[in-house]
């Protein structure tokens, strides 16, 4: 059997994992959600979900990832199989954990291409001229039509999509160390420097009026503590931003050495991500909007969605600064770098599936993966509703459900004691056993309650539809699940053959 690749260094591993987690979720999705659900009122469920779901699941994925990596598996198909003697049903169930990141990537990469396109347009002075007005609608108007024209998609948008796909393809082809790790080593420090710079500019803007925006987010209060919608959204954000519930963290962890301190690595990943979310992410978009418009405008702006804040309101504000083109360029470059290090992580599970389970060589695995992504990205670009449909099913529903499956298999079925033993292996941090009980009991109840409320709230409205494009999107998701299931079953033979071979060799 081939030796599995591994990370080049400790710092490389941490930065790669941080790059995985830090993405559009931190800088765009988080401020939009916080603004929409009342700032400080959103942050209370948010921090509770971080403690009870985020940190625990992060550690679970790291511990299990290292465990499975030592046994030659990185994708959820192989990892889930590992716990059930590679039974077909377990491998099929695990395929969901490969499908989720892949489906997310199909629209994520398209949004990533907008950030690259807008960065170029800012740099070359092609963004609309700002309108000086305290009326939000007036000020944002030119940017709204610009965005609509761009995402039609225009030829320019299409070319940037192809370029973004090519960049991802190139980096992944270079491999784990020379591709993903190096990108993270350059990207992560740049993200933090640009982020802090923009945060300072936005908070101090308009004689520190931007600071009000930060106060709005940190005015912690319990006014929405009984609103299930806010809980669902806050927990969904924790999953999304920390890349949990889909094996994206586990696959990176599977390339860690057997001696790696995964508890520390998990805590580092979560801490860096949260720094970029609740410190940097909180200091840019919302303060910028506060500085320029009145506080009353904020919830209204946020209501119009994540894209509105990032691609329309933000340039409208930033282009007003002296050398606005440059600040707007830095903003979109920051978004692009954050998105890039995440899209690589969204594709790696599929590459790992092909390499570990099918035993394909690297180039073949990358090529087939990228062809599938390119196909999906075209659907996102040319079919209305596709993005929203994928975001709902893969980016919310399947994510929470798979998080629950992870806990059941990795903690319950593996056994509390086995899991704790594996967790304690090679770590200097002594997490008490109570931690495992929280993972085993509190986290699943939490997820279950959220799913329950969610089904009550959304399911009926979302499931029944007569929109042709939505039905096509769902068929696409289904087709993908079937495709991955076929691979899961077919590759079982290969894995079993290897196991038999190893047994013979041992004798
Ligand atoms: N965590 C990323 C973000 O915040 C998204 C992501 C999810 C990336 C899952 C990889 C895997 O944007």
């Amino acid at each position: 059997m081939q030796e599995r690749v591994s990370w080049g260094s400790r710092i490389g591993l941490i930065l790669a994992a941080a790059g995985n987690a830090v993405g559009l979720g931190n800088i765009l999705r988080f401020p939009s959600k916080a603004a929409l659900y009342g700032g400080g009122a959103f942050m209370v469920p948010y921090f509770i979900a971080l403690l009870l779901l985020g940190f625990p699941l992060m550690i679970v994925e790291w511990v299990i990832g290292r465990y499975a990596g030592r046994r030659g598996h990185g994708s959820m198909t192989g990892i889930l199989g590992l716990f059930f003697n590679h039974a077909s049903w377990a491998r099929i169930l695990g395929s969901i954990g490969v499908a989720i990141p892949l489906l997310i990537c199909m629209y994520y990469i398209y949004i990533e291409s907008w950030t690259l396109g807008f960065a170029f347009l800012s740099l070359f002075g092609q963004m609309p001229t700002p309108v000086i007005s305290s009326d939000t609608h007036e000020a944002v108007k030119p940017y709204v039509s610009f965005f609509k024209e761009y995402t039609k998609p225009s030829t320019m948008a299409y070319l940037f999509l192809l370029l973004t796909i090519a960049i991802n393809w190139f980096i992944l082809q270079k491999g784990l160390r020379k591709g993903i790790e190096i990108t993270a080593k350059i990207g992560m420090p740049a993200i933090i420097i640009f982020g802090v710079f923009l945060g300072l500019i936005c908070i101090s803007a308009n004689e520190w009026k931007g600071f009000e925006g930060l106060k709005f987010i940190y005015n912690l209060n319990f006014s929405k503590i009984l609103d299930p919608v806010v809980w669902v959204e806050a927990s969904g954000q924790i999953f999304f931003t920390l890349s949990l519930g889909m094996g994206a963290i586990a696959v990176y962890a599977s390339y860690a050495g057997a001696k790696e301190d995964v508890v520390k690595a998990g805590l580092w990943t979560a801490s860096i991500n949260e720094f970029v979310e609740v410190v940097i992410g909180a200091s840019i978009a919302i303060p910028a909007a506060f500085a320029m418009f009145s506080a009353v405008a904020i919830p209204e702006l946020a209501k119009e969605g994540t894209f509105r804040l990032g691609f329309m309101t933000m340039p409208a504000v930033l282009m007003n600064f002296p050398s606005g083109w440059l600040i707007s360029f830095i903003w979109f470059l920051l978004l692009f770098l954050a998105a890039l290090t995440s899209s690589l992580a969204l594709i790696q599970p599929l590459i790992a599936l092909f390499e570990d389970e099918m035993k394909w060589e690297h180039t073949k695995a990358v090529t087939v993966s990228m062809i599938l992504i390119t196909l999906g990205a075209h659907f996102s670009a040319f079919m209305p509703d596709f993005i929203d449909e994928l975001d709902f099913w893969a980016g919310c529903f399947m994510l929470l459900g798979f998080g629950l499956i992870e806990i059941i298999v990795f903690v319950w079925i593996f056994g509390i004691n086995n899991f704790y033993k594996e967790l304690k292996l090679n770590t200097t941090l002594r997490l008490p056993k109570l931690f495992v009980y929280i993972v085993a009991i509190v986290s699943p109840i939490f997820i279950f309650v959220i799913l329950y409320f969610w089904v009550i709230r959304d399911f009926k409205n979302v499931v029944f539809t007569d929109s042709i494009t939505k039905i096509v999107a769902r068929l696409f998701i289904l087709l993908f699940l079937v495709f991955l299931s076929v691979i899961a079953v077919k590759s079982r033979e290969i894995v079993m053959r290897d196991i038999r071979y190893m047994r013979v060799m041992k004798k």
Side-chain angles (χ1 to χ4, degrees), residues 20-21 23-26 108 240-241 243 246 248 342 345-346:
N20 177 339
L24 297 172
N26 303 56
Y108 199 92
F240 191 88
T241 186
S243 307
M246 60 180 103
S342 292
L346 287 162

Side-chain angles (χ1 to χ4, degrees), residues 8 24 26 47 70 97 141 156 164 207 319 360 379 452 494:
L24 297 172
N26 303 56
F47 281 122
R70 284 207 309 275
K141 217 166 160 189
M156 174 94 83
T164 307
E207 287 158 7
M319 289 294 286
W360 286 0
F379 274 93
Y452 177 77
I494 302 173

Side-chain angles (χ1 to χ4, degrees), residues 181-342:
E181 193 170 330
I182 289 188
T183 308
K185 277 185 175 165
I186 301 168
M188 273 316 291
I191 288 170
I192 294 191
I193 293 169
F194 292 156
V196 170
F197 169 74
L198 282 174
L200 288 175
I201 287 193
C202 294
I203 289 178
S204 62
N206 206 351
E207 287 158 7
W208 294 88
K209 235 177 98 192
F211 195 67
E212 295 297 313
L214 199 61
K215 282 209 280 206
F216 164 73
I217 295 182
Y218 280 100
N219 158 36
L220 298 187
N221 66 79
F222 294 89
S223 61
K224 301 225 167 130
I225 200 84
L226 292 177
D227 184 346
V229 174
V230 179
W231 281 96
V232 170
E233 292 286 356
S235 316
Q237 175 61 17
I238 288 296
F239 265 80
F240 191 88
T241 186
L242 290 168
S243 307
L244 296 173
M246 60 180 103
I249 293 290
V251 71
Y252 273 30
S254 78
Y255 300 113
K259 296 219 170 64
E260 191 59 53
D261 185 338
V262 282
V263 176
K264 269 195 194 156
L267 291 177
W268 269 110
T269 312
S271 307
I272 297 176
N273 182 72
E274 286 312 303
F275 174 74
V276 181
E277 181 140 312
V278 302
V279 179
I280 293 180
S283 306
I284 303 177
I286 299 295
F290 259 76
M292 174 101 167
F293 311 114
S294 66
V296 218
I298 302 305
E300 200 189 315
L301 283 175
K303 226 179 278 164
E304 298 184 46
T306 318
F307 301 148
R308 172 94 184 198
L309 189 65
F311 293 92
M312 295 167 252
T313 313
M314 276 303 274
V317 175
L318 299 180
M319 289 294 286
N320 270 306
F321 285 112
S323 308
W325 61 272
L326 182 62
I327 300 179
S328 173
F329 168 68
I330 294 179
W331 163 245
F332 287 114
L333 184 63
L334 166 71
L335 288 180
F336 174 69
L337 290 174
L340 176 64
T341 49
S342 292

Side-chain angles (χ1 to χ4, degrees), residues 3-4 22 38 43 48 164 170 194 203 228 271 286 288 298 301-302 309 332 340 342 369 372 393 402 446 451 504:
E3 185 74 21
R4 267 182 110 238
V22 171
M43 294 309 283
I48 295 177
T164 307
F170 176 79
F194 292 156
I203 289 178
S271 307
I286 299 295
I298 302 305
L301 283 175
L309 189 65
F332 287 114
L340 176 64
S342 292
S369 303
L372 291 173
W393 290 104
F402 201 74
F446 200 124
L451 277 173
V504 174

Side-chain angles (χ1 to χ4, degrees), residues 106-218:
M106 289 171 177
Y107 65 85
Y108 199 92
I109 206 164
Y110 182 44
I111 301 168
E112 181 178 328
S113 78
W114 299 347
T115 65
L116 184 62
F118 275 45
F120 268 91
L121 292 169
S122 305
L123 189 63
F124 292 105
Q126 301 299 311
M127 295 296 278
T129 322
V131 176
I132 314 272
S133 168
S134 57
D135 178 346
T136 344
H137 286 284
E138 279 307 307
V140 180
K141 217 166 160 189
Y143 297 91
V144 173
S145 23
F146 188 73
F147 177 78
K148 287 207 175 122
E149 195 54 42
Y150 184 89
T151 51
K152 252 178 177 175
S154 62
T155 316
M156 174 94 83
Y158 184 62
L159 291 177
F160 274 108
L161 174 62
L162 295 183
L163 180 62
T164 307
I165 292 174
I167 295 172
N168 276 272
W169 197 323
F170 176 79
I171 296 172
L172 288 167
Q173 175 60 36
K174 286 257 164 212
L176 201 70
R177 288 190 191 184
K178 293 205 179 117
I180 299 178
E181 193 170 330
I182 289 188
T183 308
K185 277 185 175 165
I186 301 168
M188 273 316 291
I191 288 170
I192 294 191
I193 293 169
F194 292 156
V196 170
F197 169 74
L198 282 174
L200 288 175
I201 287 193
C202 294
I203 289 178
S204 62
N206 206 351
E207 287 158 7
W208 294 88
K209 235 177 98 192
F211 195 67
E212 295 297 313
L214 199 61
K215 282 209 280 206
F216 164 73
I217 295 182
Y218 280 100

